[in-house]
Amino acid sequence: MGGGPPHFGTMELEHPLATLPRVRGDRDDDGKERRSGTVWTATAHIITAVIGSGVLSLAWAMAQLGWVTGPVTLVLFAAITLYTCGLLADCYRVGDPVTGKRNYTYTEAVKSNLGGWHVWFCGFCQYANMFGTGIGYTITASISAAAINKSNCFHRHGHDADCSQNTSAFIIGFGVVQAVFSQLPSFHKLWWLSIIAAVMSFCYSIIAVGLSLAQAISGPLGKTAMTGTQVGVDVDSAHKVWLTFQALGNVAFAYSYAIILIEIQDTLRSPPAESETMRRATSAGIAVTTAFYMLCGCLGYAAFGNAAPGNILTGFGFYEPFWLVDLANACIVVHLVGGFQVFCQPLFAAVEGSAAACWCRRPAGSAAAARLGVLGRVVWRTAFVAVVTLLAVLMPFFNSILGILGSIAFWPLTVFFSVEMYIRQHQVRRFSARWAALQSLSFVCFLVTVAACAASVQGVLDSLKTYVPFKTRS
């Protein structure tokens, strides 16, 4: 998520449910404990899920886009997310919006409304995003941990001192911590860590805004422009194009929350219809986060100009008060310890569920599964974290990785499935004006996703030309 981790869990590829008659008392129409969520709780969930590590790259994104295109891009992504999430909210129930069968997860909604290859594609996009987010969170947390050492070094020895750090050691340390946390059977054992992570995301985001405001007032550090970084001054023309598309991926990452919208909606009470409440909550949540993003992006750009760092809290535009910079980076590390588990535990569950089902179909399969369950979980989860850690060591490039993650999540999970499910559910006639408008929106967003992904991959390839694992210091 561009944002902080949701503290109510994420999706699983398969989530069977039974359609039960409406019952009275303390039970909802599906037989589960009566839901009590309101528009206010859903709004809080959305804000918590959206505001997170993606906010750290917005000043850099604004520097690539400029004073005109930057704010317009933030508004456009907000508008697209608002509209498509409204379409997605209608897919929580199948058939009647009040009494229809519930879908508890995003994948269930796709399965109920589309089926076929769409379910496989949805699962692939979700789990690819979870795997990539594990890499991105490992990189971000290690950069912030290294930044704490750098901040203290600058405070002791002056701003001109050589305080560069090798992030590889911090990446490995983060990996060791995650290997330990990953051994817990499920994320339900870590609910307390997720709540702490959500609080941390607010803390460091607010600190980033406050420091940017103070810097903009006391004296900007760089020159700004209507079009952002200037060709021939800051970058060449080809580099300008690549960075512009990469910035779009960073903005898309900041708005990625559709992947858990259905899960949020499943907390809401009814009546009124959950889709109606969810639309109101989405409007309020995105309005708040967009205003916050505008503050962080614009103030960060005003403070640092076209030389804005890729990560506003680790690029050392801020040196003092050093303890506040340290606090913000410590909050990032704590947040991402929990965030890593939020995104990876569902992937663990999916793989282990499939393996258990395979073993149990064999003769004496249940006994074999029981014997190998604990050992297999330890080996596989440790191996998974080791692969993520290795890839993070090989590619510790913050903005490029965020751009890739944002592009992977934006078109398929925010736009494509929402549009296709809405068309199927409302039986929108092919080649009608509404069908053409929806498909045009999806196609344009697809082009943006392809461009952002290509630019971010190009950024990784460029960085790899000079980066040497365990040796390059930053």
Side-chain angles (χ1 to χ4, degrees), residues 7 33 39-40 49 61 69 86 90 154 169 175 249 256 263 266 268 272 286 321 342 361 366 373 399 403 452 464-465:
H7 58 270
E33 184 177 348
V39 65
W40 298 109
T69 308
D90 289 339
F154 285 131
S256 296
E263 283 80 353
D266 192 48
L268 299 177
I286 291 181
V342 165
R361 284 195 293 267
S366 296
N399 296 102
L464 285 174
K465 293 176 182 178

Side-chain angles (χ1 to χ4, degrees), residues 199-219:
V199 173
M200 294 297 101
S201 71
F202 273 102
C203 289
Y204 69 71
S205 298
I206 291 171
I207 290 172
V209 170
L211 290 173
S212 296
L213 177 61
Q215 184 62 58
I217 292 173
S218 64

Side-chain angles (χ1 to χ4, degrees), residues 64-146:
Q64 313 315 312
L65 300 171
W67 283 120
V68 177
T69 308
V72 169
T73 298
L74 285 173
V75 172
L76 283 177
F77 271 88
I80 292 170
T81 303
L82 175 64
Y83 179 69
T84 56
C85 285
L87 302 183
L88 184 58
D90 289 339
C91 301
Y92 173 65
R93 289 184 183 267
V94 178
D96 190 275
V98 176
T99 61
K101 180 178 75 71
R102 298 173 187 263
N103 294 305
Y104 299 129
T105 68
Y106 194 113
T107 304
E108 280 190 10
V110 172
K111 186 175 183 179
S112 298
N113 289 280
L114 299 174
W117 66 269
H118 292 89
V119 180
W120 178 89
F121 182 47
C122 177
F124 172 80
C125 292
Q126 286 182 326
Y127 294 124
N129 182 257
M130 291 173 186
F131 178 74
T133 299
I135 299 172
Y137 278 11
T138 301
I139 293 168
T140 308
S142 63
I143 291 174
S144 291

Side-chain angles (χ1 to χ4, degrees), residues 251-403:
V251 175
F253 178 81
Y255 276 107
S256 296
Y257 100 96
I259 193 171
I260 46 87
L261 182 143
I262 297 293
E263 283 80 353
I264 296 175
Q265 196 165 346
D266 192 48
T267 68
L268 299 177
R269 68 188 181 198
S270 64
E274 296 90 350
S275 58
E276 177 184 333
T277 304
M278 197 66 206
R279 284 175 179 271
R280 292 170 57 198
T282 298
S283 298
I286 291 181
V288 171
T289 55
T290 300
F292 190 84
Y293 284 174
M294 283 287 190
L295 282 173
C296 197
C298 293
L299 287 174
Y301 184 43
F304 302 111
N306 294 338
N311 183 325
I312 198 170
L313 287 174
T314 63
F316 285 93
F318 304 121
Y319 291 97
E320 302 292 342
F322 80 99
W323 60 268
L324 189 59
V325 177
D326 287 354
L327 175 62
N329 281 299
C331 288
I332 293 173
V333 174
V334 174
H335 166 210
L336 298 183
V337 167
F340 185 100
Q341 292 299 318
V342 165
F343 280 95
C344 292
Q345 284 284 351
L347 196 154
F348 295 157
V351 172
E352 291 160 15
S354 298
C358 179
W359 273 101
C360 289
R361 284 195 293 267
R362 301 181 179 184
S366 296
R371 288 194 300 269
L372 295 175
V374 176
L375 177 61
R377 183 173 68 237
V378 170
V379 173
W380 129 253
R381 293 189 180 193
T382 302
F384 175 88
V385 173
V387 170
V388 167
T389 302
L390 176 61
L391 291 175
V393 168
L394 297 176
M395 299 183 298
F397 314 122
F398 178 74
N399 296 102
S400 296
I401 297 299
L402 288 195

